[in-house]
Amino acid sequence: MSKRTDYISWDEYFMGVALLSGKRSKDPSTQVGACIVNQQNKIVGVGYNGLPIGISDDQFPWQNEGNFLETKYPYVCHAELNAILNNIGINLSGCKIYTALFPCNECSKAIIQSGISEVIYLSDKYAGKENFIAAKRMLQTAGIRLRKMTPGVNEVTLSFDEKGV
Ligand SMILES: O=c1[nH]c(=O)n([C@H]2C[C@H](O)[C@@H](COP(=O)(O)O)O2)cc1CO
Ligand SMILES: [Zn+2]
């Protein structure tokens, strides 16, 4: 038997973990996941957008418009920040962060302060918004490598069917 050739790349694997993590999000409109990887290609932090610990998913709003205090925006913790805060307790200097969405300005500050040196993202759909212009300005000035991922496969399917293992 010769070795498989259709295995996923490291980029696809880590972005896949980020996307899988996003599946835990309760946000009805946008589910974001992030995955932090060290220089030995080991996963050291994962997160998704959700409410802070101890704040009920059922008692806080998920609306994305209307009175600010009645929307999710002041309360939700972004995937990237959660991945940083959820890390296994190491110094993140030199690590990479995989994130489905280009990070906002607040997450970018946390990324820079944590020592992460590369951001790999799938979508930059908010590129024109001021928060993201500020994010890019900070990340570039801080010398963080920014890379839009070009996946070699369009999707990866997971099956929980025991017969598929
Ligand atoms: O980089 C990000 N990471 C992240 O976790 N989020 C979260 C916050 C919200 O729960 C959701 C964005 O919601 P919406 O697309 O409805 O504005 O995604 C949003 C961004 C981009 O702002
Ligand atoms: Zn953010």
Side-chain angles (χ1 to χ4, degrees), residues 25 27-33 48-50 62-64 72-73 76-81 99-105 107 125-126 129 131-132:
S25 177
D27 189 325
S29 46
T30 308
Q31 303 83 41
V32 187
Y48 58 87
N49 53 326
W62 285 108
Q63 280 88 264
N64 57 5
K72 62 188 170 183
Y73 295 112
V76 74
C77 190
H78 288 192
E80 301 91 321
L81 184 60
T99 174
L101 255 187
F102 194 92
C104 74
N105 60 317
C107 290
K125 66 177 180 180
Y126 295 130
K129 286 191 165 184
N131 284 356
F132 294 84

Side-chain angles (χ1 to χ4, degrees), residues 7-160:
Y7 56 88
I8 55 173
S9 67
W10 282 119
D11 271 356
E12 289 154 0
Y13 172 50
F14 297 131
M15 190 61 86
V17 170
L19 293 171
L20 186 62
S21 170
K23 297 280 183 204
R24 286 275 313 144
S25 177
K26 317 299 182 310
D27 189 325
S29 46
T30 308
Q31 303 83 41
V32 187
C35 175
I36 302 174
V37 178
N38 74 8
Q39 283 155 312
Q40 286 77 47
N41 276 345
K42 292 182 180 167
I43 294 173
V44 295
V46 178
Y48 58 87
N49 53 326
L51 293 177
I53 293 166
I55 299 180
S56 167
D57 291 329
D58 300 315
Q59 284 164 14
F60 274 66
W62 285 108
Q63 280 88 264
N64 57 5
E65 51 191 16
N67 177 338
F68 182 63
L69 290 179
E70 293 311 318
T71 69
K72 62 188 170 183
Y73 295 112
Y75 312 110
V76 74
C77 190
H78 288 192
E80 301 91 321
L81 184 60
N82 269 333
I84 291 170
L85 296 172
N86 290 344
N87 91 75
I88 59 171
I90 61 158
N91 183 333
L92 299 180
S93 290
C95 288
K96 303 181 270 197
I97 187 165
Y98 287 79
T99 174
L101 255 187
F102 194 92
C104 74
N105 60 317
E106 293 299 332
C107 290
S108 294
K109 292 177 208 172
I111 288 169
I112 294 167
Q113 297 301 66
S114 71
I116 289 173
S117 56
E118 184 174 6
V119 174
I120 301 108
Y121 57 96
L122 270 185
S123 164
D124 195 10
K125 66 177 180 180
Y126 295 130
K129 286 191 165 184
E130 286 181 334
N131 284 356
F132 294 84
I133 294 170
K136 223 162 266 177
R137 187 174 173 185
M138 286 189 283
L139 291 165
Q140 281 167 343
T141 306
I144 313 264
R145 202 168 159 230
L146 305 176
R147 180 158 62 87
K148 183 171 184 356
M149 189 177 143
T150 38
V153 288
N154 206 35
E155 61 178 26
V156 172
T157 307
L158 295 178
S159 166
F160 289 103

